[in-house]
Each structure stands twice: as C-alpha cells, then as structure tokens.
Amino acid sequence: MKSLTLSNLLFTLTLANPIQLTNPLAPRQVNAPARITAATISGTGCQPNTYTTQFSPSGDAFTLGVDSYQTFFGPGTSTADRTRQCDLVLTLNYPPGCSLLTLSTTYHGFAQLETSVSGTFTSSYALSPGALSGDGSAPGSITVGSGAFGGNGNVYTKVDDPINARVSFAGSNRRDGTFTVRTRLSLTGSTGRSGTLTQDDVSVSISSQSRC
C-alpha cells in the first residue's frame, strides 16, 4: 500500500458524501482574515468515493476533483444519463464585524459532441448569511456546442470572477457562514447522434478581502 504523508492526510481526502471535511491548519485568530474551513459535497455528479478534495494550508482556496461527473447522450444511454449535478457547500469562518470578499471559481472539463448535440454547463451560487453580487460573467453559464467541441473532443475552462460577498456579524467572536456552489451538466441532441460532457474539477478561492 502506498504510504501517505502528513500533508496528504490533512489536505487530500477521498470520502463518502455528504460529509463535512475540515481544514485543521486554517488560522483561527479573532482578527485573522476570513478562511475556508470545511466543505460538504453531494449530488449525482459527485457521489461517494468518486472525488478528491484539497484545502490550501492558508485556508484561502479549495479544490474539488471529480472522477465521474459525466453526462452521455446517444444510442444505448438513458434520459437520466443526460444530466448530472453537484453541490459544494463551503464553510467560511469570518472575523467579527463586516467583511467584503472577492471570490473566484475555475472549472475544467471535457466535451466530445457530434453534430446536432449540444452541452450546457451552468453554475449558481448562494451565500448565507450575507449577499452576493458579480459582473456580467458571474454567476453564469457556458454552452459548449458541436461547432467548438466536435470531432475528437476538446477541453474547456470556465471562470466566474469576480463574485463579491458582503457578510456582517455582531459581537466579538469569529462566526461561520456558508458559500454554496451548484453546478449542472446537461446534453440535448438529435436522435441517433452521440456526445459526452464532463467536469473534472472546480477550484474556489478568496482572491481579496477587506473590512467594510
């Protein structure tokens, strides 16, 4: 059996869902910046034992890698094969008072679509407590059509940035909130045609933050 280093045990895990994974090295000083301290994963695209997770040591980034977040269209497939979804709920630990955060999400995946088959990848976000806002690119969706992803297939990258968050807590202690990332893959097409659309990973980072 391959041995695991301490950093592997702390930051890279493959576990059943839904389960809360924690980052034990994230700073917890009262006035330290907001940090990602835990994650809960569930959905048809990220089922038990099909994903890996990684927290950055500083707590400002998190990556989810998935092995079977795949959709299929064509002969021999079912209607259920055409859609998959995954919910990633991150726990953010905030200092007391009001915090302004800029969040960023980056996705990587693969599509192989015959003519007349199209795939859609949508992402949506929620913050509790607090409020979210973004520019025209976030939150959003991407449509990967056969014109760009035909033949032998191609990789894609989707970036939602910036996602602006405002959170305020009363009192003198640090408090937890949640940032939810929901993604969905779907395929449509003509009878007799085939295609597949996958998501390989998503990274969420706190790119900047300040006090209100």
Side-chain angles (χ1 to χ4, degrees):
M1 179 181 295
K2 182 178 179 181
S3 62
L4 294 176
T5 65
L6 177 59
S7 61
N8 291 143
L9 291 171
L10 290 175
F11 302 125
T12 305
L13 306 170
T14 305
L15 299 173
N17 68 309
I19 190 169
Q20 189 178 69
L21 315 172
T22 60
N23 180 7
L25 297 188
R28 294 295 185 126
Q29 296 87 350
V30 170
N31 293 317
R35 289 293 181 258
I36 300 168
T37 59
T40 303
I41 299 121
S42 62
T44 56
C46 45
Q47 298 189 51
N49 303 313
T50 66
Y51 58 80
T52 60
T53 66
Q54 184 174 15
F55 294 89
S56 68
S58 60
D60 60 359
F62 175 85
T63 298
L64 171 68
V66 283
D67 296 328
S68 58
Y69 198 171
Q70 303 170 315
T71 54
F72 302 94
F73 182 92
T77 64
S78 67
T79 301
D81 293 329
R82 300 175 186 177
T83 61
R84 292 287 188 273
Q85 59 86 24
C86 183
D87 288 348
L88 168 62
V89 182
L90 296 177
T91 299
L92 275 62
N93 183 256
Y94 300 93
C98 184
S99 296
L100 298 174
L101 279 68
T102 300
L103 301 163
S104 174
T105 58
T106 302
Y107 307 87
H108 298 101
F110 178 83
Q112 184 168 335
L113 310 175
E114 292 185 350
T115 303
S116 300
V117 178
S118 294
T120 301
F121 171 22
T122 59
S123 57
S124 61
Y125 307 93
L127 188 72
S128 179
L132 291 175
S133 63
D135 64 8
S137 64
S141 66
I142 183 172
T143 300
V144 286
S146 57
F149 293 96
N152 293 324
N154 217 327
V155 297
Y156 66 83
T157 298
K158 170 175 163 57
V159 178
D160 288 344
D161 179 27
I163 305 169
N164 299 311
R166 181 187 177 100
V167 180
S168 183
F169 288 109
S172 58
N173 297 319
R174 298 183 68 88
R175 297 280 297 276
D176 286 342
T178 59
F179 177 60
T180 300
V181 179
R182 170 167 289 182
T183 58
R184 182 176 183 270
L185 304 180
S186 62
L187 288 173
T188 58
S190 302
T191 302
R193 312 304 293 177
S194 299
T196 181
L197 174 63
T198 73
Q199 182 185 314
D200 297 327
D201 59 71
V202 55
S203 295
V204 182
S205 63
I206 303 173
S207 54
S208 68
Q209 59 182 298
S210 62
R211 306 306 295 269
C212 303

